[in-house]
Amino acid sequence: HNFIDALTDALNQKYCNRVVPDLGLAIAVWDILEADDPQVHPGDAYGHVKVLFRLVVFRPLPGEVLSGRVRSANADGISISLGFFSDIHLPPG
């Protein structure tokens, strides 16, 4: 692993498969545009790196129709899979 690969892995671990407020569902780091040299702060064992990166996100438009597969349905609602993401829950009503 080189430095950029290690940064990409760390960013994917932090963001992927999570909803980023005002962005959408993070899918993967696309690329890293800039990365500063690591800084170690006193009393901290970790290196801190300022990074500018691009992220692939899933962000459907309002009113957009998506096709999925029903995984389960019960009184609590319906669970749907879109293939690449399976944690969609539609509440009843």
Side-chain angles (χ1 to χ4, degrees), residues 3-83:
F3 181 60
I4 296 299
D5 289 340
L7 287 176
T8 302
D9 290 346
L11 290 167
N12 276 321
Q13 187 175 25
K14 180 174 182 173
Y15 290 106
C16 290
N17 297 319
R18 291 182 172 84
V19 174
V20 179
D22 299 321
L23 280 181
L25 173 67
I27 304 296
V29 172
W30 180 260
D31 61 1
I32 293 180
L33 302 173
E34 296 176 17
D36 291 348
D37 291 330
Q39 303 286 321
V40 178
H41 300 281
D44 192 352
Y46 297 101
H48 298 267
V49 180
K50 184 176 179 182
V51 180
L52 178 63
F53 63 98
R54 294 189 291 184
L55 189 64
V56 177
V57 296
F58 173 67
R59 183 179 182 171
L61 300 171
E64 184 175 356
V65 176
L66 303 171
S67 295
R69 177 170 285 179
V70 175
R71 293 178 57 217
S72 65
N74 58 36
D76 294 328
I78 301 171
S79 293
I80 298 173
S81 171
L82 295 178

